[in-house]
Amino acid sequence: MDDCIFCKIIKGELPSYKIYEDKFTYAFLDISNDGNGHILVVPKHHCENILDAREEDLENVIKTIQKISKHLTQNCGFDGVNILNASGKSAEQSVFHLHFHILPRKDKDGLKVFPSLTKNPKSLKDIQKSLKVD
């Protein structure tokens, strides 16, 4: 896609701090420079988000996420990782090329990355009924 910033990064038209690349995926540091090595993993094939992604793109992206996450915990001194994704404007997706965030974590690093949600007044049974996949 011509106007996609991540496609431009993948093609080398825009600079990035590459962490990993293979035939199907590209991983680079997020320019926000927050956390201790905030990494974005994207498929090289353009898709907007998880809702329109090809199955093979999802498979390749998750394999790359695991590879990088293992490297971070086995070789870089991290204790764990957060894997985050936003799919769709209402989910606060800001760049419309599928991407996952890897946030390397250390015990007691003080980062709070999960949102604080309010309790739903509906029962779990009612919610299940409305959301169940047949």
Side-chain angles (χ1 to χ4, degrees), residues 2 4-5 12 14 35 42 46-47 56 58-59 63-64 84 91 96 98 107 110 113 116 122 124 131:
D2 291 339
C4 174
I5 191 168
L14 291 174
V42 302
H46 181 84
C47 53
E56 63 205 70
L58 294 173
E59 290 171 358
K63 286 177 186 176
T64 295
L84 305 169
F96 292 90
L98 175 65
D107 293 339
V113 298
S116 179
K122 295 180 182 178
L124 290 176
L131 301 178

Side-chain angles (χ1 to χ4, degrees), residues 23 33-34 36 39 43-44 50 56 89 97-98 103-104 112 119 127:
K23 183 177 176 182
N33 196 21
D34 53 4
N36 193 2
I39 299 167
K44 288 185 174 179
I50 199 167
E56 63 205 70
K89 186 177 179 181
H97 182 121
L98 175 65
L103 300 169
K112 299 292 181 202
K119 186 167 177 67
I127 295 169

Side-chain angles (χ1 to χ4, degrees), residues 117-130:
L117 303 174
T118 57
K119 186 167 177 67
N120 190 323
K122 295 180 182 178
S123 73
L124 290 176
K125 187 167 184 68
D126 289 342
I127 295 169
Q128 176 200 24
K129 188 176 182 179
S130 69

